[in-house]
Amino acid sequence: MSKEEHTNSYSHILKYIGLFGGVQAMSIGVALVRNKLVALILGPGGMGLVSLFTSTVSLISDLSNFGIGLSAVQKISQAYDRGDTECISHTIGVVRCWCALLALMGTVLCIVLSPFLSWFTFSWNGHTFHFICLSPIVGLSLLTLGETAIIKAVRELRRLAMVTFYNIVGALIVSVPIYYLWGMKGIVPSLVMMALIQFLLTVHVSYHLYPLRLNFSKSLLHDGLGMIKLGTAFVAATIFTSGTNFLIRSYLNNVSGLDMVGLYNAGIMMTLTYVGMVFSAMDTDYFPRLSAIPNLGFTFNTTVNRQIEMIFLVVSPLLVAFIIFLPIILPLLYSGKFMPVLGMAQIVVLAMYFRALEVPIEYITLARGDSLSYLLIQAVYAILFVGAVIVGFQSCGLVGTGAGITLTTVVYLGFILPFSKYRYGFHVSRRVIRNVVVQLPIGLLAYALTFLDRPLIYWTAGIVLCAVSALVSLRIIRKNC
C-alpha cells in the first residue's frame, strides 16, 4: 500500500477518529464536571452571561484573524508533504509575524468596539468595561490559532490532542474556584485565565517543535500577503458562523432574558458541541490530508467519501444513545433547572446525522483554497439557521428552536450536495447512501420514542435501538478495515 493509499484508508481514518474522539471524550468528561459545577454555582442566568461574552469575543477574534489559521495549515502542509524543511521554517516565520500583528489589532478592535458590543448584546452600556477586560482574550486566541495551525500542518496530532485535554483540565482547575468565590463577578477573569492557559499549553508544544524567532522584516510581511488575501473571504465566511451565534444569543437575551440564553446554550452544548466531538479528527487529520491532494478526481472523491462513511458510522450509535438517555444525562451534567431544554436537545440530535454528511463536504472548499465558495455556503447556512431558529422560537419556544436547527441542516444538505457536484465534481458514493438508509431510520425511531409515556417500553425499545445501531456500524467498520 502506498503512502497516499494508507493515509486515505478506512483504518487510518478510524485511527484518528479514535485518537481525537477518545481524547475529546476524556476532555468532555472533564468539561462536563466543570459545567455541572458552574451550572450549580451560576445557574441558567450565569451560564447565559458566559455564553454571551464568549460568543461576542469569538466574533471579534474571527473579524481579526483573516483566515490565517486555514491558509497556514494549507501552506505548511503542502511543504511538509514535499519534505521542504526550508519552506516550512520560512512559512512558520511568516505565520508568527502576521499572528502577532493580528493579535494586537484584534485586541485594540475589541477595546474600541466595547461600547457598541455592550449596547447591542445587552441593550445598555453597563458591560463596556467588561468587554475592555475581555480584549486580551482576542489577542491570545489569535496567537494560539497560529501555533495550533503549525502543529496540525506538521502532523503532530497526538501532541495536539493532549493539549486539548490539558486545556480542559486547566479550565476546570482555574474557573470553578473563581466562580465559587466570586460568583458572576468571576466570569470575566475566569475567561481571561482560560484563554491564557490554552495559549501557554499550545506554545509549549509548538515552540518545542519550532523555536520562536520573531522577525518583522518587510520581506516576511510581504510573503504573508498571499495568505492574508486568501483568508480574507474565509474571514467573512467565519464571521457568518460567529455572527450567527452572536445574533441568536443577543436576540434571546433581548426578548426573553439571560435564563433563556443559558438554556439555549446548554441545549447547543449538549448536542452540536459534545456530540460533535467525533468531528474533531477532521480539522486535525482530514483537512491536512485533503489539502495535500493536488488535483480533483478519483483520489479526492474517495478521500471525502471515506471520511463521510467513517464519521457517519461512528457517530450514529452515539446519536441514538444520546436521544434515549438525555432525560438522565441532562440533569446529571447540569441541574434540574435545565430540564426545559430537553425537548430542544433531543430533536437537535437528529441534525447531527446531516452534519456528519455536510461537514466533510464543506472542507473541500477549504482544501482547494476556494474562499468565495466557502463564503457562499457559510452564508447560506447562516441565513437558514438564524431565520429557522427565530421563527421556531417565536412559534414553539425552545422545542421550535430545535426543530428549526434540524430543518436547517436538511435544507442545507439539499443545497450543498448539488453545489459540490457542480463545482468540484464530487458525488456521494453508494456506500454512504446505504449507510444513511440503514442508520437514519434507527435515529428517527429513537426520536419517536420520546413521545411515548410508557417508561418500560421506552427504555426497552431504546436500549434495543442503541444495540442495533452499534452492531450495524461495528459490522460495516470491521468489514472495511
Side-chain angles (χ1 to χ4, degrees):
M1 180 182 289
S2 68
K3 179 182 177 182
E4 182 181 87
E5 289 173 331
H6 172 71
T7 56
N8 289 318
S9 67
Y10 291 105
S11 57
H12 174 91
I13 297 168
L14 184 62
K15 172 186 174 182
Y16 281 99
I17 291 175
L19 170 64
F20 285 95
V23 173
Q24 286 291 87
M26 291 190 297
S27 300
I28 286 172
V30 177
L32 292 176
V33 173
R34 173 180 169 271
N35 282 345
K36 173 72 173 181
L37 295 173
V38 173
L40 290 172
I41 296 169
L42 300 182
M47 295 289 281
L49 187 58
V50 171
S51 173
L52 283 170
F53 280 150
T54 303
S55 62
T56 306
V57 171
S58 295
L59 176 61
I60 300 302
S61 297
D62 291 338
L63 276 169
S64 309
N65 68 36
F66 285 90
I68 190 75
L70 292 170
S71 50
V73 169
Q74 190 177 49
K75 292 287 184 182
I76 299 172
S77 181
Q78 290 170 354
Y80 178 83
D81 275 17
R82 295 195 307 267
D84 191 341
T85 55
E86 185 177 342
C87 182
I88 292 172
S89 298
H90 176 74
T91 308
I92 287 172
V94 172
V95 170
R96 285 175 171 166
C97 173
W98 272 99
C99 281
L101 293 175
L102 295 174
L104 178 61
M105 183 187 76
T107 303
V108 172
L109 183 64
C110 188
I111 294 171
V112 171
L113 292 180
S114 57
F116 167 77
L117 296 174
S118 177
W119 174 82
F120 190 88
T121 309
F122 298 96
S123 299
W124 66 305
N125 289 328
H127 289 281
T128 299
F129 179 69
H130 292 149
F131 282 114
I132 292 174
C133 294
L134 289 169
S135 61
I137 297 177
V138 178
L140 289 169
S141 65
L142 288 169
L143 293 172
T144 304
L145 178 70
E147 300 305 322
T148 301
I150 293 168
I151 301 171
K152 287 179 188 176
V154 298
R155 313 294 204 278
E156 291 289 341
L157 304 183
R158 293 182 183 276
R159 296 190 185 191
L160 186 60
M162 294 314 299
V163 167
T164 302
F165 175 68
Y166 290 134
N167 178 49
I168 300 296
V169 174
L172 170 66
I173 294 171
V174 169
S175 63
V176 172
I178 291 176
Y179 291 141
Y180 180 76
L181 292 172
W182 292 295
M184 292 179 70
K185 292 181 180 179
I187 290 175
V188 172
S190 173
L191 293 175
V192 174
M193 287 297 296
M194 287 190 289
L196 178 61
I197 289 170
Q198 184 177 22
F199 168 73
L200 292 175
L201 288 170
T202 306
V203 299
H204 174 72
V205 173
S206 63
Y207 288 179
H208 176 74
L209 295 171
Y210 297 94
L212 178 64
R213 296 186 181 90
L214 268 183
N215 183 357
F216 293 96
S217 65
K218 289 183 179 180
S219 61
L220 280 182
L221 290 172
H222 180 268
D223 290 346
L225 287 176
M227 284 192 287
I228 297 300
K229 290 177 181 177
L230 174 65
T232 301
F234 288 134
V235 172
T238 307
I239 289 170
F240 279 116
T241 303
S242 298
T244 296
N245 295 330
F246 174 68
L247 284 172
I248 290 174
R249 285 166 173 80
S250 297
Y251 164 77
L252 292 175
N253 181 50
N254 286 315
V255 301
S256 194
L258 280 174
D259 283 1
M260 186 58 69
V261 178
L263 291 172
Y264 169 81
N265 192 63
I268 294 298
M269 290 292 290
M270 289 291 295
T271 52
L272 298 183
T273 302
Y274 291 153
V275 179
M277 67 183 182
V278 180
F279 297 161
S280 62
M282 285 195 280
D283 193 40
T284 48
D285 171 59
Y286 170 60
F287 176 50
R289 283 191 293 112
L290 200 61
S291 298
I293 299 174
N295 300 307
L296 297 171
F298 176 77
T299 301
F300 199 90
N301 251 21
T302 302
T303 301
V304 178
N305 273 303
R306 286 181 177 177
Q307 190 74 30
I308 295 173
E309 284 181 63
M310 295 306 297
I311 289 292
F312 195 85
L313 289 171
V314 169
V315 82
S316 291
L318 297 176
L319 299 181
V320 176
F322 231 71
I323 292 172
I324 297 300
F325 289 99
L326 262 175
I328 296 175
I329 296 171
L330 186 58
L332 280 176
L333 300 184
Y334 286 89
S335 70
K337 295 179 181 179
F338 288 82
M339 285 304 289
V341 82
L342 176 62
M344 169 192 164
Q346 285 177 316
I347 193 170
V348 171
V349 173
L350 294 177
M352 299 304 292
Y353 281 100
F354 302 98
R355 291 302 290 157
L357 301 172
E358 294 160 358
V359 174
I361 299 173
E362 289 177 349
Y363 273 90
I364 296 176
T365 57
L366 299 175
R368 304 309 299 170
D370 192 353
S371 53
L372 292 178
S373 292
Y374 185 66
L375 175 62
L376 173 63
I377 63 175
Q378 291 300 306
V380 170
Y381 185 81
I383 293 169
L384 290 172
F385 192 93
V386 172
V389 166
I390 292 176
V391 171
F393 181 77
Q394 290 176 342
S395 302
C396 302
L398 285 171
V399 174
T401 299
I405 292 172
T406 301
L407 180 62
T408 295
T409 60
V410 176
V411 176
Y412 178 65
L413 183 64
F415 163 76
I416 198 172
L417 285 177
F419 176 81
S420 59
K421 184 175 182 179
Y422 167 77
R423 184 72 174 172
Y424 308 106
F426 171 76
H427 59 273
V428 177
S429 68
R430 291 181 180 179
R431 282 185 172 184
V432 170
I433 296 172
R434 283 199 300 266
N435 293 337
V436 173
V437 169
V438 172
Q439 288 284 11
L440 183 57
I442 300 175
L444 293 173
L445 285 173
Y447 179 69
L449 285 177
T450 64
F451 296 96
L452 190 63
D453 195 21
R454 303 278 297 275
L456 181 61
I457 298 176
Y458 174 86
W459 290 111
T460 303
I463 292 171
V464 168
L465 288 175
C466 291
V468 170
S469 180
L471 288 172
V472 168
S473 284
L474 183 61
R475 181 176 178 275
I476 299 172
I477 290 172
R478 291 183 65 180
K479 182 180 178 181
N480 289 335
C481 292

